[in-house]
Amino acid sequence: MAQWTSAMGSTQLARLLASQQDRPGTGSRRPPAYRALADGIRLLVLEGRVPVAARLPAERELAVALAVSRTTVAAAYEALRTEGFLESRRGAGSWTAVPAGNPLPARGLEPLPPEALGSMIDLGCAALPAPEPWLTRSVQGALEALPPYAHTHGDYPAGLPALREMLAERYTARGIPTMPEQIMVTTGAMGAIDAICHLFAGRGERIAVESPSYANILQLMREAGARLVPVAMAEGLRGWDMDRWRQVLRDAAPRLAYVVADFHNPTGALATEDQRRQLVEAARSAGTVLVVDETMSELGLDPDLDVPRPVCGFDPAGSTVITVGSASKAFWAGMRIGWVRAAPDVIRSLVAARAYADLGTPVLEQLAVNWLLNTGGWQAAVDVRRAQARENRDALVAAVRRELPGWEFEVPKGGLTLWVRTGGLSGSRLAEVGERVGVRVPSGPRFGVDGAFEGYVRLPFTVGGAVADEAAVRLAAAARLVETGAGAGTQVAHPFVA
């Protein structure tokens, strides 16, 4: 059986290789043609622009597309096989890989204990402190509303009726008619996606994911036994590469696809309205259920930003798109309330399956979120969150540009994260050495499948002012240690990234 999960066409690969010519070179000496081709493909794999386990074009096809000899392509493929970046099997072709025996981190960074924050700048978790006074007021409001619920058993597998109704009204106000029967309240977005994966994608099922994608969701899916099929994002902040999505959905026929259309984690990209429409159409044609993570959707940071319609707005029948929302990013990570919007029959199946999982979501926290949504406190808190994230973003961008001018990134218009190319340095080494000099960052491979994005780190907008300046200074110190080889050591795996 072939080990590839997607295919890369010769024209597409040639275009990606040509795009590398626009980047600064590393010297004036030109390697042999086969070596340059092998190095180009290897870099595309490490950056995640060509997924791991993607079948490459046949030698003759690629030679024609690149206008080189077939011997050059054959020699490049052989070099990649020798280095562990390509595997082949007679009759099945050749597909990309990462070298065996060189494991790269798949997990993330656990939240730093509050008592350690004095000595370490924590850029591991994309989470801000609670927006006060709204957290305190919401809890007080929840306590006042609690007595009637205290006289019941307290188990509401679908969520409190009042909160389901309020969430349905919010979708309807956004132009997406929704009934309470289309809503299930969950314990955070992670709880929602875990339930969806268990319902739709059994062990061994394929799930298409953006590449890069949210580290915790990738790990959740791995542990559920899913076969992840990465789909590279468009270059920069241009959202999705629809040609790749159509190809993967057609060729791999994944049961599920997981996407973050609004201020993507980690890149910050915002999918256009046309991309959303095309993706829903492609998923419907392929019979793929599209799981859309909207946890960042309210975090537009630029005042003149025009956010496209929700993805579910292009699925009026409700047969293709399942939407997941949460209070954790827009309000506070400690408020573990999430929700699912889907067709009523899907909600009924999720609720029925919940009897064997967690039974329901804490009532008091549901009442707190309901209070926020009913009183206008939610919007007021989101406004505070946006202002704080915008200020932090601008401070962090200025600091990194000043201290690390060779690092490359585009400034997103929303979300909580900056996706940074580290000038050829290993993101894993930077993460390791950074902890020694007092700054924690997650390396790029944590957000990829099978070792992609080694040349990246993710920087969240969680610090500002003088702390952002100091974080950049410490990152620059870590970069100097990595460059000189003084930071050699053992990579430590961590279990969580927010």
Side-chain angles (χ1 to χ4, degrees), residues 13 38 41-42 45 50-57 59 73-89 93-100:
L13 181 56
I41 294 174
R42 176 176 53 81
V45 172
V50 170
V52 174
R55 188 177 66 170
L56 296 187
E59 294 171 2
V73 177
Y77 278 14
E78 181 58 33
L80 290 168
R81 276 190 288 267
T82 301
E83 296 162 6
F85 286 94
L86 197 68
E87 296 181 11
S88 303
R89 181 175 301 166
S94 299
W95 56 91
T96 55
V98 291

Short mmCIF file of all heavy atoms in Angstrom, two decimals, residues 13 38 41-42 45 50-57 59 73-89 93-100:
data_model
loop_
_atom_site.label_atom_id
_atom_site.label_comp_id
_atom_site.label_asym_id
_atom_site.label_seq_id
_atom_site.Cartn_x
_atom_site.Cartn_y
_atom_site.Cartn_z
N LEU A 13 4.70 22.10 -8.41
CA LEU A 13 6.01 22.02 -7.79
C LEU A 13 6.98 22.97 -8.46
O LEU A 13 7.79 23.63 -7.79
CB LEU A 13 6.52 20.59 -7.84
CG LEU A 13 7.89 20.33 -7.19
CD1 LEU A 13 7.90 20.79 -5.73
CD2 LEU A 13 8.24 18.84 -7.27
N ALA A 38 17.46 19.33 -5.46
CA ALA A 38 17.25 18.57 -4.22
C ALA A 38 17.12 19.51 -3.03
O ALA A 38 16.23 19.33 -2.17
CB ALA A 38 18.40 17.58 -4.01
N ILE A 41 13.65 21.26 -3.04
CA ILE A 41 12.55 20.41 -2.58
C ILE A 41 12.65 20.17 -1.07
O ILE A 41 11.65 20.21 -0.35
CB ILE A 41 12.56 19.08 -3.35
CG1 ILE A 41 12.24 19.32 -4.83
CG2 ILE A 41 11.55 18.09 -2.74
CD1 ILE A 41 12.37 18.10 -5.71
N ARG A 42 13.88 19.93 -0.58
CA ARG A 42 14.07 19.72 0.85
C ARG A 42 13.59 20.93 1.65
O ARG A 42 12.90 20.80 2.67
CB ARG A 42 15.55 19.45 1.15
CG ARG A 42 15.87 19.31 2.64
CD ARG A 42 17.33 18.94 2.86
NE ARG A 42 18.23 19.87 2.17
CZ ARG A 42 18.59 21.07 2.66
NH1 ARG A 42 18.10 21.48 3.82
NH2 ARG A 42 19.41 21.84 1.98
N VAL A 45 9.85 21.12 1.84
CA VAL A 45 9.32 20.17 2.81
C VAL A 45 9.49 20.70 4.23
O VAL A 45 8.56 20.67 5.05
CB VAL A 45 10.00 18.79 2.66
CG1 VAL A 45 9.60 17.86 3.80
CG2 VAL A 45 9.64 18.16 1.31
N VAL A 50 5.52 22.07 0.81
CA VAL A 50 5.20 20.76 0.24
C VAL A 50 4.98 19.82 1.42
O VAL A 50 5.89 19.62 2.23
CB VAL A 50 6.34 20.24 -0.66
CG1 VAL A 50 6.10 18.78 -1.03
CG2 VAL A 50 6.46 21.08 -1.92
N PRO A 51 3.79 19.25 1.56
CA PRO A 51 3.51 18.42 2.74
C PRO A 51 4.37 17.17 2.80
O PRO A 51 4.82 16.65 1.77
CB PRO A 51 2.03 18.05 2.57
CG PRO A 51 1.49 19.04 1.59
CD PRO A 51 2.62 19.39 0.68
N VAL A 52 4.61 16.67 4.00
CA VAL A 52 5.19 15.36 4.17
C VAL A 52 4.16 14.33 3.70
O VAL A 52 2.95 14.52 3.86
CB VAL A 52 5.56 15.13 5.65
CG1 VAL A 52 6.04 13.70 5.88
CG2 VAL A 52 6.63 16.12 6.08
N ALA A 53 4.63 13.26 3.09
CA ALA A 53 3.78 12.19 2.52
C ALA A 53 3.01 12.67 1.30
O ALA A 53 1.92 12.18 1.02
CB ALA A 53 2.83 11.62 3.56
N ALA A 54 3.59 13.63 0.57
CA ALA A 54 3.00 14.07 -0.70
C ALA A 54 3.73 13.38 -1.85
O ALA A 54 4.97 13.42 -1.92
CB ALA A 54 3.10 15.58 -0.85
N ARG A 55 2.99 12.75 -2.74
CA ARG A 55 3.62 12.09 -3.88
C ARG A 55 4.14 13.14 -4.84
O ARG A 55 3.41 14.06 -5.23
CB ARG A 55 2.63 11.17 -4.60
CG ARG A 55 3.30 10.33 -5.68
CD ARG A 55 2.34 9.37 -6.34
NE ARG A 55 1.32 10.08 -7.11
CZ ARG A 55 0.48 9.46 -7.93
NH1 ARG A 55 0.51 8.14 -8.06
NH2 ARG A 55 -0.43 10.15 -8.61
N LEU A 56 5.40 13.02 -5.25
CA LEU A 56 6.01 13.95 -6.18
C LEU A 56 5.77 13.49 -7.62
O LEU A 56 5.50 12.31 -7.88
CB LEU A 56 7.50 14.08 -5.90
CG LEU A 56 7.89 14.67 -4.54
CD1 LEU A 56 9.40 14.89 -4.48
CD2 LEU A 56 7.17 16.00 -4.29
N PRO A 57 5.90 14.41 -8.57
CA PRO A 57 5.70 14.03 -9.97
C PRO A 57 6.74 13.00 -10.41
O PRO A 57 7.84 12.91 -9.85
CB PRO A 57 5.88 15.35 -10.72
CG PRO A 57 5.77 16.43 -9.70
CD PRO A 57 6.21 15.84 -8.40
N GLU A 59 9.70 11.50 -12.68
CA GLU A 59 10.91 12.19 -13.10
C GLU A 59 10.73 12.88 -14.44
O GLU A 59 11.12 14.05 -14.62
CB GLU A 59 12.08 11.20 -13.16
CG GLU A 59 12.46 10.63 -11.81
CD GLU A 59 13.45 9.49 -11.93
OE1 GLU A 59 13.86 9.18 -13.08
OE2 GLU A 59 13.84 8.92 -10.89
N VAL A 73 16.73 15.40 -12.63
CA VAL A 73 15.66 15.10 -11.68
C VAL A 73 15.94 13.77 -10.97
O VAL A 73 15.75 13.64 -9.76
CB VAL A 73 14.30 15.06 -12.39
CG1 VAL A 73 13.19 14.68 -11.41
CG2 VAL A 73 13.99 16.41 -13.02
N ALA A 74 16.40 12.77 -11.73
CA ALA A 74 16.69 11.47 -11.12
C ALA A 74 17.78 11.59 -10.07
O ALA A 74 17.68 10.98 -8.99
CB ALA A 74 17.11 10.47 -12.21
N ALA A 75 18.82 12.38 -10.36
CA ALA A 75 19.90 12.55 -9.40
C ALA A 75 19.42 13.30 -8.15
O ALA A 75 19.82 12.99 -7.02
CB ALA A 75 21.06 13.31 -10.05
N ALA A 76 18.53 14.29 -8.35
CA ALA A 76 17.99 15.03 -7.21
C ALA A 76 17.14 14.12 -6.34
O ALA A 76 17.24 14.15 -5.10
CB ALA A 76 17.16 16.22 -7.70
N TYR A 77 16.29 13.29 -6.96
CA TYR A 77 15.47 12.37 -6.19
C TYR A 77 16.33 11.37 -5.42
O TYR A 77 16.04 11.04 -4.26
CB TYR A 77 14.52 11.61 -7.13
CG TYR A 77 13.25 12.36 -7.50
CD1 TYR A 77 13.12 13.73 -7.26
CD2 TYR A 77 12.18 11.70 -8.09
CE1 TYR A 77 11.96 14.41 -7.61
CE2 TYR A 77 11.00 12.36 -8.43
CZ TYR A 77 10.90 13.72 -8.19
OH TYR A 77 9.75 14.38 -8.53
N GLU A 78 17.40 10.91 -6.05
CA GLU A 78 18.28 9.96 -5.37
C GLU A 78 18.96 10.61 -4.17
O GLU A 78 19.10 10.01 -3.10
CB GLU A 78 19.33 9.41 -6.34
CG GLU A 78 20.29 8.40 -5.73
CD GLU A 78 19.56 7.19 -5.14
OE1 GLU A 78 18.50 6.79 -5.68
OE2 GLU A 78 20.07 6.65 -4.13
N ALA A 79 19.37 11.87 -4.33
CA ALA A 79 19.98 12.59 -3.20
C ALA A 79 18.98 12.75 -2.06
O ALA A 79 19.33 12.57 -0.88
CB ALA A 79 20.47 13.97 -3.67
N LEU A 80 17.73 13.06 -2.38
CA LEU A 80 16.71 13.21 -1.35
C LEU A 80 16.42 11.88 -0.66
O LEU A 80 16.21 11.83 0.56
CB LEU A 80 15.42 13.78 -1.96
CG LEU A 80 15.49 15.24 -2.41
CD1 LEU A 80 14.27 15.59 -3.26
CD2 LEU A 80 15.58 16.17 -1.22
N ARG A 81 16.44 10.79 -1.41
CA ARG A 81 16.25 9.47 -0.79
C ARG A 81 17.40 9.16 0.16
O ARG A 81 17.18 8.66 1.27
CB ARG A 81 16.14 8.39 -1.88
CG ARG A 81 14.76 8.23 -2.47
CD ARG A 81 14.66 7.01 -3.35
NE ARG A 81 15.39 7.20 -4.60
CZ ARG A 81 14.85 7.66 -5.72
NH1 ARG A 81 13.58 7.99 -5.75
NH2 ARG A 81 15.58 7.78 -6.81
N THR A 82 18.60 9.47 -0.24
CA THR A 82 19.78 9.21 0.60
C THR A 82 19.71 10.00 1.90
O THR A 82 20.09 9.51 2.96
CB THR A 82 21.06 9.57 -0.17
OG1 THR A 82 21.13 8.79 -1.36
CG2 THR A 82 22.30 9.33 0.68
N GLU A 83 19.20 11.22 1.82
CA GLU A 83 19.13 12.10 2.99
C GLU A 83 17.88 11.86 3.84
O GLU A 83 17.74 12.46 4.91
CB GLU A 83 19.16 13.56 2.52
CG GLU A 83 20.47 13.94 1.84
CD GLU A 83 20.36 15.20 1.01
OE1 GLU A 83 19.27 15.84 1.07
OE2 GLU A 83 21.32 15.54 0.32
N GLY A 84 16.97 11.00 3.37
CA GLY A 84 15.78 10.68 4.15
C GLY A 84 14.58 11.56 3.89
O GLY A 84 13.58 11.48 4.62
N PHE A 85 14.65 12.41 2.84
CA PHE A 85 13.54 13.31 2.54
C PHE A 85 12.63 12.77 1.44
O PHE A 85 11.68 13.44 1.05
CB PHE A 85 14.07 14.69 2.14
CG PHE A 85 14.59 15.48 3.29
CD1 PHE A 85 15.94 15.45 3.63
CD2 PHE A 85 13.74 16.24 4.09
CE1 PHE A 85 16.43 16.17 4.70
CE2 PHE A 85 14.21 16.96 5.17
CZ PHE A 85 15.56 16.92 5.48
N LEU A 86 12.91 11.57 0.95
CA LEU A 86 12.08 10.97 -0.09
C LEU A 86 12.07 9.46 0.10
O LEU A 86 13.10 8.86 0.43
CB LEU A 86 12.64 11.33 -1.47
CG LEU A 86 11.69 11.14 -2.67
CD1 LEU A 86 10.55 12.15 -2.61
CD2 LEU A 86 12.46 11.30 -3.98
N GLU A 87 10.91 8.87 -0.08
CA GLU A 87 10.78 7.42 -0.08
C GLU A 87 10.12 7.01 -1.39
O GLU A 87 9.31 7.76 -1.96
CB GLU A 87 9.94 6.95 1.11
CG GLU A 87 10.59 7.23 2.46
CD GLU A 87 9.75 6.74 3.62
OE1 GLU A 87 8.77 5.99 3.36
OE2 GLU A 87 10.04 7.10 4.77
N SER A 88 10.45 5.83 -1.87
CA SER A 88 9.92 5.36 -3.15
C SER A 88 9.55 3.89 -3.05
O SER A 88 10.10 3.15 -2.23
CB SER A 88 10.96 5.56 -4.27
OG SER A 88 11.36 6.90 -4.37
N ARG A 89 8.62 3.51 -3.90
CA ARG A 89 8.24 2.11 -4.00
C ARG A 89 7.79 1.86 -5.43
O ARG A 89 7.05 2.66 -6.01
CB ARG A 89 7.12 1.77 -3.03
CG ARG A 89 6.71 0.30 -3.07
CD ARG A 89 5.68 0.00 -1.99
NE ARG A 89 6.23 0.30 -0.66
CZ ARG A 89 5.48 0.40 0.44
NH1 ARG A 89 4.17 0.22 0.36
NH2 ARG A 89 6.04 0.65 1.60
N GLY A 93 5.38 5.12 -6.84
CA GLY A 93 5.99 6.43 -7.02
C GLY A 93 6.87 6.82 -5.85
O GLY A 93 7.32 5.97 -5.06
N SER A 94 7.12 8.12 -5.73
CA SER A 94 7.98 8.67 -4.67
C SER A 94 7.21 9.73 -3.90
O SER A 94 6.47 10.52 -4.49
CB SER A 94 9.24 9.30 -5.28
OG SER A 94 10.00 8.34 -5.99
N TRP A 95 7.42 9.73 -2.59
CA TRP A 95 6.71 10.70 -1.77
C TRP A 95 7.66 11.28 -0.74
O TRP A 95 8.64 10.69 -0.34
CB TRP A 95 5.49 10.07 -1.10
CG TRP A 95 5.79 8.85 -0.27
CD1 TRP A 95 6.07 8.82 1.06
CD2 TRP A 95 5.85 7.49 -0.72
NE1 TRP A 95 6.29 7.53 1.48
CE2 TRP A 95 6.17 6.70 0.41
CE3 TRP A 95 5.67 6.87 -1.96
CZ2 TRP A 95 6.31 5.32 0.33
CZ3 TRP A 95 5.81 5.49 -2.03
CH2 TRP A 95 6.12 4.72 -0.90
N THR A 96 7.33 12.50 -0.29
CA THR A 96 8.19 13.22 0.64
C THR A 96 8.17 12.59 2.02
O THR A 96 7.19 11.96 2.43
CB THR A 96 7.76 14.69 0.74
OG1 THR A 96 6.37 14.74 1.10
CG2 THR A 96 7.96 15.41 -0.58
N ALA A 97 9.26 12.80 2.76
CA ALA A 97 9.40 12.25 4.11
C ALA A 97 10.33 13.16 4.90
O ALA A 97 10.83 14.16 4.38
CB ALA A 97 9.96 10.83 4.05
N VAL A 98 10.53 12.85 6.16
CA VAL A 98 11.58 13.49 6.96
C VAL A 98 12.51 12.40 7.44
O VAL A 98 12.09 11.24 7.59
CB VAL A 98 11.01 14.29 8.15
CG1 VAL A 98 10.25 15.50 7.68
CG2 VAL A 98 10.12 13.41 9.02
N PRO A 99 13.78 12.72 7.68
CA PRO A 99 14.75 11.68 8.01
C PRO A 99 14.36 10.87 9.24
O PRO A 99 13.93 11.43 10.25
CB PRO A 99 16.05 12.47 8.25
CG PRO A 99 15.86 13.72 7.47
CD PRO A 99 14.40 14.04 7.55
N ALA A 100 14.50 9.57 9.16
CA ALA A 100 14.24 8.69 10.30
C ALA A 100 15.30 8.92 11.37
O ALA A 100 16.44 9.29 11.08
CB ALA A 100 14.26 7.23 9.84
#
